Amino acid sequence: MTGTEHSFPVGRRRHVVRLALLAGGLAVMFYLVAVARVIDVEGARDVVAATGPAAPFAYVVMSAVLGAVFVPGPLLAAASGLLFGPLVGTFVTLGSAVGTAIITSFLGRRAGRESARGLLGPERAERIDAQIERRGLWAVVGQRFVPGISDALASYVFGAFGVPLWQMAVGAFIGSAPRAFVYTALGASIGDLSAPLAYTAIAVWCATAIIGAFAAHRGYRSWRGRGARAERGRVPDRDPELDD
């Protein structure tokens, strides 16, 4: 065997191990923060409240970092509503959502993009790059509308596939706006969930969930349709013996 034949499986194994370590680290961090709740969100909120007029800016930074380590976004948004009210709190929540998207996608890109491209191969990687260039922004926006998906985890994946930071930032701003209002408004009206603001927030959440589910279903059908057309369009290689 040649040196190339030996090196290819070794290189592939290195990419698999690297991505497995990345996935394992994210899984452990998700369990500790989102499930075991090792971070005291209320304590962090009290620290921010003590900063006085700078509290909104301090909360944007702190919430962006906490979101990147899988502190649930609804908890952070609700705390923003409690601290700053529904109007200012919504913009604070949006700022932190954009910050989290930038942090997570940057880390995902640095940690996983090389290995993801190595496993995909140059041809598939180029096709994915072309898809990202055309539809990357709206993929980020659409993901934010789909209920039940961790925004931070999705951003790590987007980063590993090479979605540019500007697409992550703009997509997170557009796609996170409805839920930022919902959870911030619910946090602001936590003492009176029968208030009109709470009902409005719930209605927006339901509408967003329906739109997200419909968009996800349509996107999946479109993806399957493109895959089927690509399979039908393939022409098998001719057998050289038939040309003799």
Side-chain angles (χ1 to χ4, degrees), residues 14 20 28 47 88 99 104 127 135 165 188 194 216 225-226 234 243:
R14 178 173 63 86
V28 171
V47 170
V88 175
T104 50
R127 287 204 301 265
R135 302 185 178 91
L165 290 181
S194 63
R226 286 197 301 270
R234 286 180 180 172
D243 295 332

Side-chain angles (χ1 to χ4, degrees), residues 20-223:
L21 289 174
L22 174 61
L26 292 177
V28 171
M29 186 164 58
F30 180 83
Y31 173 78
L32 291 175
V33 176
V35 180
R37 303 287 176 86
V38 297
I39 294 179
D40 183 8
V41 177
E42 291 185 3
R45 184 187 67 198
D46 294 340
V47 170
V48 169
T51 61
F57 304 100
Y59 194 81
V60 168
V61 176
M62 184 204 70
S63 183
V65 174
L66 292 179
V69 296
F70 295 113
V71 172
L75 288 180
L76 296 172
S80 176
L82 277 173
L83 284 172
F84 309 115
L87 181 59
V88 175
T90 296
F91 285 99
V92 169
T93 298
L94 265 179
S96 65
V98 171
T100 295
I102 293 174
I103 293 171
T104 50
S105 62
F106 175 78
L107 294 176
R109 188 184 186 94
R110 292 295 300 271
R113 186 167 188 253
E114 179 186 347
S115 293
R117 290 178 68 88
L119 290 179
L120 289 169
E123 186 177 340
R124 288 183 179 177
E126 288 177 6
R127 287 204 301 265
I128 289 178
D129 287 344
Q131 290 292 326
I132 288 173
E133 185 176 352
R134 291 195 298 269
R135 302 185 178 91
L137 172 63
W138 300 112
V140 177
V141 173
Q143 177 272 311
R144 301 284 163 151
F145 275 79
V146 179
I149 298 178
S150 167
D151 291 341
L153 181 58
S155 296
Y156 278 113
V157 174
F158 280 132
F161 278 98
V163 176
L165 290 181
W166 76 266
Q167 289 188 353
M168 292 300 307
V170 176
F173 183 85
I174 297 172
S176 299
R179 282 191 293 169
F181 165 74
V182 167
Y183 296 123
T184 304
L186 289 175
S189 57
I190 195 70
D192 184 13
L193 291 178
S194 63
L197 181 62
Y199 285 126
T200 302
I202 293 171
V204 172
W205 185 90
C206 292
T208 302
I210 293 171
I211 293 171
F214 175 78
H217 176 69
R218 185 168 182 175
Y220 175 72
R221 290 186 60 184
S222 176
W223 173 76

